Amino acid sequence: MTKSLSTTAIRGLLARTIQKSKPKSSSPDIPGSQNANITDTRYQIIKRILYETPKPELPKMTEQDLERHETIDRAWKLFLRNQQEERENELAAKYRMLNEANIELEKLGPRLFNSAQMGNKIMMFPRQMKIPTETPPLNGWNYDYKPPPSDPTKDSKPLPPDSTRDSP
Amino acid sequence: MLSRSKLFLYNRYQFLSAVPRIFNKTFLHTYQKSSPPANLPDSYLFYPGRTSMLRMEEFYHSTLSTDLMILSYKDPESERKFIEKRQKEHLPIKKSVLTRDTNPFAINRPSPKSRGNKKRLPVPPKQCHKTIPKLLKIDVHCMIKEAIHSKQHLLSGIMALQCITSERPTVVYSKTGVAQWKLRKDMPIGCKVSISGPPMYTFLDKLVEIVLPRMKEWHGIPITSGDQNGNIAMGFPASALSLFPDIEGNYDMFPLMTGFDVIFNTTAYTDYEGRMLLSGFQIPFTPRKKMGRKGRTNRN
């Protein structure tokens, strides 16, 4: 009984439903009846999309296809594994150096050692830090940027629209 | 005597192929099916692979992890104190319970309640390059009040969460009933979805770059947010849902705009480290203790 729905069919259905369900300018007979009408049809459509779309046809793989797929899969996993191991080794070496330096510092004396430790300092990454992107920003470099007066103890204002980030 | 398997099956219908054969020596029962391996499209575990570069993940591996390692490094003395604090066993309410070790009748009794309802938090391992705080998963949860009188309103929430996170959410059922709100037990009242890996990083990217900068009257996550174990949570109003690009494009299709909450699950053992990690992903924190007018720290 359920018709099979393709993505184009779904889009068409939804567009027609939205058009039909928009309230007309003429006065309604029963207040709120049009609201009920709007939700009913959309929910039916959403239900069909979520639970009644047919399963996509899976590619039928021949033995050679399967072999190719397995090889590519294993190669990708191997690549990821090598990448992971490289990162781990680097981090392990850095940690070892950090630890040894700290131990050496402790032997030198208490004053330098204590000032070097984190203690109760509150450390967070600065909000101006930019996470690298593939392409440069649309608005270019903001030469007139002025950092806001940093006083974290005072009552914070709502965050302003970021001038450092490119507008959409 | 039948030997019982020590493996705890969270879901009876868990497919056996998801667990290595070494750890699962149960016999194949009728309700457990062996499914195709996860690298084939037939399996429900199959993930076709990341479709784009994951900016946040690459940033974490290249920059954040090293910085976090240095920032979260503790000298041996303070590390020892922290582990001891977590390992501390709190005094029980009844003093008679203290004789548990010598009393043979006390074996297998439930653990005694501590004075002041003090909880024992997880004990962290000794610090090394593997204990750097990392973002494990994000849970997005949506409670839909309108589902009490009309169950179909859940569909809007499910569709919205699926659009945002690209994973199908599960329905949440109420655990207790509240007569005042006409809520009964085991009633479908919300939906939740748990994302990790590539979907998580794309969701985080959308959140940080598009949604958070455009939110109105939002000061940042309160600095006191956290479950004492490194997991930070935040809530969004319904207006935030319309800011997501996946929903903005099809705004008319959603009959009901709901608020939702986002829980960042990290491997950090303290809130402080969890906040440090999230600030690295450019999530702003505010010294306010609560959201809204009541959270203001300085009056006038």
Side-chain angles (χ1 to χ4, degrees):
Chain A
M1 203 246 135
T2 52
K3 271 198 324 200
S4 69
L5 292 168
S6 62
T7 13
T8 42
I10 292 166
R11 287 213 186 104
L13 249 167
L14 275 159
R16 284 194 292 276
T17 322
I18 292 160
Q19 259 187 342
K20 256 194 252 176
S21 64
K22 283 200 174 121
K24 291 176 192 164
S25 53
S26 57
S27 57
D29 303 322
I30 308 159
S33 61
Q34 280 169 352
N35 285 341
N37 189 38
I38 291 168
T39 50
D40 275 351
T41 36
R42 275 188 290 182
Y43 280 129
Q44 273 173 27
I45 305 281
I46 289 175
K47 197 174 180 180
R48 280 183 85 181
I49 294 168
L50 286 173
Y51 301 111
E52 286 164 44
T53 47
K55 267 189 164 180
E57 230 184 75
L58 294 167
K60 289 186 176 69
M61 298 213 271
T62 58
E63 266 195 49
Q64 287 97 343
D65 280 338
L66 200 70
E67 206 181 325
R68 282 186 209 114
H69 174 75
E70 298 259 314
T71 319
I72 296 166
D73 199 47
R74 275 169 45 210
W76 174 242
K77 284 184 172 145
L78 186 68
F79 170 75
L80 288 178
R81 180 82 200 133
N82 289 339
Q83 206 179 51
Q84 182 67 16
E85 267 187 34
E86 219 181 278
R87 284 188 198 132
E88 264 188 41
N89 292 339
E90 211 186 304
L91 277 176
K94 282 182 183 168
Y95 179 81
R96 215 183 318 124
M97 291 286 121
L98 173 64
N99 206 18
E100 282 168 17
N102 212 41
I103 291 164
E104 287 293 323
L105 190 63
E106 193 167 12
K107 289 176 192 167
L108 283 180
R111 194 175 73 88
L112 283 170
F113 178 72
N114 288 328
S115 63
Q117 302 314 316
M118 278 296 290
N120 290 327
K121 292 180 213 157
I122 294 173
M123 281 287 186
M124 283 217 229
F125 289 89
R127 223 178 291 161
Q128 287 83 26
M129 179 174 73
K130 182 175 147 71
I131 301 175
T133 50
E134 281 184 85
T135 52
L138 289 170
N139 300 335
W141 188 258
N142 182 10
Y143 290 98
D144 301 321
Y145 173 75
K146 278 187 179 58
S150 56
D151 197 351
T153 52
K154 289 254 161 121
D155 179 34
S156 68
K157 294 183 188 152
L159 299 173
D162 273 322
S163 49
T164 50
R165 298 182 190 277
D166 33 320
S167 52
Chain B
M1 266 289 269
L2 284 169
S3 58
R4 283 174 170 274
S5 165
K6 286 182 188 164
L7 178 72
F8 175 63
L9 286 171
Y10 290 94
N11 180 5
R12 255 200 194 169
Y13 303 92
Q14 184 185 39
F15 293 115
L16 291 178
S17 60
V19 175
R21 188 74 188 144
I22 306 164
F23 303 114
N24 182 12
K25 288 185 181 171
T26 52
F27 294 108
L28 212 63
H29 296 280
T30 46
Y31 51 78
Q32 288 165 337
K33 299 177 187 170
S34 66
S35 61
N39 64 337
L40 287 179
D42 300 20
S43 165
Y44 80 101
L45 295 163
F46 179 66
Y47 185 70
R50 50 194 71 182
T51 50
S52 64
M53 182 191 85
L54 299 170
R55 218 170 114 243
M56 293 284 171
E57 197 187 26
E58 303 227 356
F59 181 62
Y60 174 81
H61 285 305
S62 63
T63 316
L64 282 185
S65 56
T66 341
D67 290 345
L68 280 167
M69 183 171 72
I70 298 165
L71 287 172
S72 65
Y73 177 81
K74 296 190 199 67
D75 60 300
E77 191 57 35
S78 52
E79 195 205 348
R80 189 186 58 82
K81 280 186 194 164
F82 179 59
I83 290 177
E84 266 176 24
K85 190 178 174 189
R86 285 281 171 102
Q87 280 173 336
K88 184 182 171 191
E89 288 197 22
H90 303 289
L91 279 173
I93 294 173
K94 295 181 186 170
K95 273 191 183 170
S96 56
V97 181
L98 290 169
T99 56
R100 274 177 111 208
D101 298 326
T102 51
N103 186 4
F105 298 106
I107 298 166
N108 289 332
R109 277 186 193 164
S111 52
K113 280 187 195 172
S114 60
R115 277 152 63 169
N117 261 337
K118 284 186 186 153
K119 286 179 190 145
R120 280 190 64 187
L121 293 167
V123 180
K126 278 217 146 189
Q127 64 178 357
C128 72
H129 67 280
K130 291 184 183 173
T131 59
I132 303 168
K134 191 179 182 185
L135 195 59
L136 270 182
K137 65 177 166 85
I138 293 178
D139 293 312
V140 189
H141 164 255
C142 192
M143 199 269 289
I144 300 162
K145 267 194 295 183
E146 289 84 355
I148 295 171
H149 63 77
S150 169
K151 214 163 63 167
Q152 63 181 1
H153 289 106
L154 273 176
L155 291 167
S156 184
I158 293 172
M159 193 58 154
L161 287 191
Q162 190 178 286
C163 286
I164 293 174
T165 59
S166 80
E167 300 275 318
R168 177 64 66 91
T170 53
V171 176
V172 174
Y173 296 88
S174 56
K175 289 173 187 165
T176 51
V178 180
Q180 194 189 16
W181 301 325
K182 297 175 192 166
L183 179 72
R184 276 171 279 118
K185 195 183 174 217
D186 294 327
M187 214 176 164
I189 195 69
C191 46
K192 69 173 182 187
V193 62
S194 185
I195 45 171
S196 61
M200 174 179 76
Y201 286 111
T202 44
F203 176 75
L204 186 63
D205 207 341
K206 273 184 260 178
L207 203 72
V208 164
E209 294 295 320
I210 301 168
V211 178
L212 295 182
R214 287 200 219 168
M215 272 173 77
K216 294 192 179 109
E217 294 292 324
W218 189 67
H219 301 254
I221 305 182
I223 204 134
T224 49
S225 158
D227 72 339
Q228 308 304 315
N229 201 39
N231 303 318
I232 317 284
M234 60 182 296
F236 290 91
S239 50
L241 195 64
S242 53
L243 298 170
F244 277 91
D246 326 75
I247 292 179
E248 210 178 358
N250 310 323
Y251 189 79
D252 292 321
M253 288 187 198
F254 294 90
L256 184 71
M257 281 288 157
T258 48
F260 58 99
D261 51 70
V262 173
I263 304 159
F264 298 98
N265 179 250
T266 63
T267 58
Y269 280 88
T270 48
D271 273 354
Y272 168 67
E273 283 178 8
R275 254 177 264 131
M276 210 198 297
L277 169 67
L278 291 185
S279 69
F281 286 123
Q282 291 304 290
I283 292 170
F285 286 88
T286 173
R288 276 181 173 224
K289 297 200 176 161
K290 281 190 213 172
M291 312 284 266
R293 281 171 58 233
K294 284 189 181 172
R296 263 181 288 159
T297 48
N298 271 330
R299 291 206 177 261
N300 305 321

